[in-house]
Amino acid sequence: MWTWSAARALSGGNMQKLILGRALSIRAPGSTLPAPRLIVANQPTWGLDVGAVAYVHQQLLDACAAGSALLLISEDLDELMALSDRILVMYEGAIAGEARPESASIEDIGLLMAGGEA
């Protein structure tokens, strides 16, 4: 049996999943609405447990496979490497460089984050 709760009563992780589900629900199977053209995800897995992280990552990847573009803003380098086709690194308010996950290492990205060159 389902019970209903106010969103404010949910844990932080469940609240994040609720927001993601709401944002992506228009592309549910059988929906006649198109996938969102752009998803902006700022720290989408911050504070989530491992299972919830995997769920959120899969939902974002599925949305991209359905035609959505994803702008991922994250401090988690493993997350960026797993979900990104291209990574732009900011340093002191400007783009310091670009990296491709298939050819760059976390060390290369770290160097760009510190103002160096990869």
Side-chain angles (χ1 to χ4, degrees):
M1 176 173 189
W2 289 93
T3 60
W4 295 94
S5 299
R8 70 178 168 269
L10 296 173
S11 69
N14 284 330
M15 196 174 296
Q16 280 175 268
K17 290 193 288 188
L18 172 74
I19 292 167
L20 179 67
R22 182 184 64 193
L24 299 180
S25 65
I26 64 169
R27 64 171 193 81
S31 173
T32 58
L33 297 172
R37 291 180 60 187
L38 174 65
I39 299 166
V40 178
N42 183 9
Q43 307 293 342
T45 59
W46 197 344
L48 297 181
D49 63 57
V50 174
V53 168
Y55 172 82
V56 169
H57 284 180
Q58 191 58 56
Q59 294 303 304
L60 292 171
L61 290 170
D62 290 349
C64 290
S68 298
L70 172 63
L71 173 60
L72 176 63
I73 303 163
S74 181
E75 295 175 8
D76 182 339
L77 294 180
D78 291 327
E79 179 171 70
L80 288 168
M81 297 294 273
L83 297 179
S84 301
D85 295 323
R86 181 171 74 146
I87 299 170
L88 296 176
V89 179
M90 304 275 306
Y91 176 74
E92 293 187 347
I95 295 175
E98 177 181 337
R100 300 270 179 186
E102 65 273 5
S103 61
S105 67
I106 288 179
E107 290 79 17
D108 292 335
I109 295 170
L111 232 117
L112 290 170
M113 291 170 67
E117 293 184 18

